[in-house]
Amino acid sequence: MLGKGISASLMCVDFADTKKDLAALEKAKIEYLHFDIMDGAFVPNYTLGPWAVSSLRGKTPIAFDIHLMVERPESKISYFNLEPGDAVSVHAESTPHLQRVLAGLKDAGMAAGVALNPATPLTVLDYVTDVADFVLIMTVNPGYAGQKMVPNALEKISRTRDYLDAKGCADTAIQVDGNVSFENAVKMAAAGADNFVAGTAGLFRRDMSIEAAAARLRECIRIVK
Ligand code: DX5
Ligand code: ZN
């Protein structure tokens, strides 16, 4: 199960002072730490790797949410010291073995998520809704922070909600990732998003503290802690 709330995108953290940012995220009662894992192959960038997950494991009460933007995740999941209770999302576009990967994550006690790039149709979910705890709708093309939401993102979020409800998957959560700004968050929530990956647009901002941004973002998505 992926819970409602804010998932802080750690690729946007101040790596010169992670302790400061982590303390602020904890004070803001952020629900998840979102580890954007990139391999330079599935997406044109490198960011966090297994080191990031290991370095924070046991150092914070915030739950882990690991987004694998990697080719063939089935061959890389063992690189991470994943634990039951972690949320782990894999891209439908990154493996021919999506059902096997998701079922394996679920069997290991994790919340298994299917991530969809902007151009990927919902039909890829047809035979995995029984093993998917959540669907991650990329609202930007994966790879970089600071991008603008793609035009059809809001329509795709509401279509995903309708699709899941029509399949009897009312408990399957929708996570959105990319340009979750205050303005966009209101529309994303209205379209049916449950969990919001927040980076430079809505949480790690130059003009306000993490606590202030989190409070404002919660107002926008109506999840007040
Ligand atoms: C895309 C990244 C970004 C990041 C959020 O691959 O995953 O979505 O987390 O960054 P902003 O809020 O700057 O879009
Ligand atoms: Zn992500």
Side-chain angles (χ1 to χ4, degrees), residues 9-12 34 36 38 43 67 69 138 140-147 177-181 197-203:
S9 173
L10 292 186
M11 68 183 278
C12 306
H34 186 83
D36 274 320
M38 299 184 191
V43 290
H67 177 189
M69 288 171 272
M138 288 305 301
V140 298
N141 286 294
Y144 302 94
Q147 300 179 92
D177 185 350
N179 196 215
V180 180
S181 64
V197 177
T200 63
L203 191 58

Side-chain angles (χ1 to χ4, degrees), residues 60 108 157 222:
T60 176
I157 296 166
R222 293 268 179 277

Side-chain angles (χ1 to χ4, degrees), residues 154-213:
L154 296 175
E155 179 196 335
K156 189 171 182 181
I157 296 166
S158 53
R159 280 193 175 182
T160 303
R161 188 68 271 156
D162 294 345
Y163 172 95
L164 291 170
D165 291 349
K167 288 194 71 142
C169 302
D171 290 342
T172 304
I174 295 174
Q175 181 178 52
V176 289
D177 185 350
N179 196 215
V180 180
S181 64
F182 301 135
E183 183 191 356
N184 287 340
V186 174
K187 298 172 189 166
M188 292 166 167
D194 302 295
N195 184 293
F196 300 78
V197 177
T200 63
L203 191 58
F204 299 95
R205 293 174 56 103
R206 294 183 202 287
D207 61 351
M208 63 175 77
S209 69
I210 286 174
E211 288 101 315

Side-chain angles (χ1 to χ4, degrees), residues 29 55 58 66 71 90 141-142 144 149 154 164 192 210 220 222:
K29 297 188 173 49
S55 66
I66 297 149
E71 286 296 343
V90 296
N141 286 294
Y144 302 94
M149 181 168 71
L154 296 175
L164 291 170
I210 286 174
C220 295
R222 293 268 179 277

Side-chain angles (χ1 to χ4, degrees), residues 24-135:
L25 293 170
E26 289 172 0
K27 195 164 166 231
K29 297 188 173 49
I30 294 296
E31 286 82 0
Y32 290 90
L33 296 181
H34 186 83
F35 294 81
D36 274 320
I37 309 294
M38 299 184 191
D39 65 356
F42 181 69
V43 290
N45 197 3
Y46 293 90
T47 49
L48 308 177
W51 57 270
V53 178
S54 304
S55 66
L56 292 181
R57 185 69 78 185
K59 303 283 193 321
T60 176
I62 306 179
F64 283 17
D65 166 26
I66 297 149
H67 177 189
L68 295 175
M69 288 171 272
V70 301
E71 286 296 343
R72 309 302 297 268
E74 63 273 15
S75 64
K76 297 173 183 159
I77 279 174
S78 62
Y79 299 176
F80 298 82
N81 69 334
L82 299 176
E83 289 187 2
D86 289 347
V88 182
S89 55
V90 296
H91 272 262
E93 310 90 352
S94 67
T95 174
H97 305 297
L98 182 60
Q99 200 283 342
R100 180 191 296 161
V101 177
L102 293 168
L105 288 168
K106 248 179 119 55
D107 291 348
M110 287 136 208
V114 195
L116 305 185
N117 283 340
T120 304
L122 296 179
T123 46
V124 299
L125 301 173
D126 283 356
Y127 298 103
V128 293
T129 47
D130 58 323
V131 287
D133 295 297
F134 65 101
V135 176

